[in-house]
Structures are given as structure tokens and as C-alpha cells.
């Protein structure tokens, strides 16, 4: 007898359609930038100025003239450094107000400079030059 016709194997069922590509979620607006941190150098140094009679110092050139003791006031040609202040990379590193007639009490806000201040000299501000007290 003749052989039965061969039936080709059944085609595999079609594969399921792949899922659509993932789309990123819609972009949300960026949150507002936080306000800049307060200028701790200004806070510390203005407290020192006010607590030690800065208006009566022998030299107070540049003090409180800008919100940043390391930057010059605009359009003045000044070097921007408040008298007795040295800065490196925008940080107050040295404070030398020796023999400058400071008087009063050193304010606790000076601790705000502890991360950057490497040198401080407030010597010779007693007797004829004024008198300082620690806090």
C-alpha cells in the first residue's frame, strides 16, 4: 500500500508580541533650589566687630562693607579683604587684629570659623589698646 502522505509538522504558534518599550516617566519640573546657606564667615566676623567696638578699632578698613569678607565690594578697586583677614579659596584662614584697640567680649560666633581658621592673633589689645574677655 502506498504510504500516507506526510504531513508537515504544525508550525509553532506565533510568539506573543513583545511588550512595548518602556518609556521613562514624564519629566517633572526640578524642585526649586534651596536658599544659599548663610554666610557663616560674615556672621562670625560681624559679631566680633560688634562685640569688640569695631567702630573704635585703629583700623577697620573694609569691615562689614560686603557680605563676604573674601570678596571685593563691586566697583571699588579694593582687594576685598577686610583689614586683618586672609582668605584661601573663599574661606577665612587668618585673623590678625593685634594691637588694634579691640575691647569687649569675644563672641561665641567665632566658633563658626573653626572649620577654616588656621591662625588668630588678637594680642596687645589690653592696657592702652583696649581690653578683651573670652566667652
Amino acid at each position: 500500500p502506498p504510504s500516507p502522505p506526510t504531513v508537515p509538522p504544525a508550525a509553532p504558534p506565533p510568539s506573543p508580541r513583545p511588550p512595548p518599550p518602556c518609556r521613562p516617566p514624564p519629566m517633572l519640573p526640578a524642585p526649586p533650589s534651596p536658599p544659599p546657606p548663610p554666610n557663616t564667615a560674615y556672621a562670625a566676623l560681624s559679631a566680633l566687630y560688634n562685640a569688640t567696638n569695631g567702630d573704635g578699632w585703629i583700623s577697620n578698613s573694609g569691615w562689614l562693607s560686603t557680605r563676604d569678607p573674601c570678596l571685593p565690594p563691586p566697583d571699588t578697586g579694593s582687594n576685598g579683604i577686610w583689614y586683618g583677614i586672609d582668605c584661601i579659596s573663599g574661606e577665612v584662614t587668618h585673623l590678625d587684629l593685634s594691637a588694634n584697640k579691640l575691647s569687649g567680649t569675644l563672641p561665641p560666633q567665632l566658633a563658626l570659623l573653626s572649620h577654616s581658621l588656621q591662625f588668630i592673633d588678637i594680642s596687645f589689645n589690653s592696657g592702652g589698646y583696649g581690653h578683651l574677655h573670652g566667652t
Side-chain angles (χ1 to χ4, degrees):
S3 10
T6 53
V7 176
S15 54
R17 295 179 83 170
C22 290
R23 293 184 184 179
M27 294 296 291
L28 299 174
S33 299
N39 187 327
T40 55
Y42 182 86
L45 296 173
S46 63
L48 174 66
Y49 185 90
N50 292 321
T52 60
N53 188 32
D55 289 339
W57 293 354
I58 293 170
S59 182
N60 58 11
S61 172
W63 277 73
L64 308 183
S65 63
T66 63
R67 294 288 298 165
D68 188 337
C70 298
L71 294 178
D75 303 323
T76 63
S78 164
N79 67 2
I81 308 285
W82 296 5
Y83 174 81
I85 302 292
D86 286 324
C87 300
I88 296 176
S89 298
E91 297 283 341
V92 175
T93 57
H94 290 74
L95 174 61
D96 185 353
L97 296 172
S98 61
N100 201 31
K101 204 175 176 184
L102 279 69
S103 63
T105 302
L106 295 177
Q109 290 91 335
L110 280 179
L112 295 170
L113 298 175
S114 64
H115 70 284
S116 65
L117 193 62
Q118 300 169 9
F119 173 85
I120 184 170
D121 186 355
I122 52 171
S123 61
F124 302 106
N125 277 296
S126 61
Y129 288 107
H131 189 68
L132 292 174
H133 304 277
T135 57

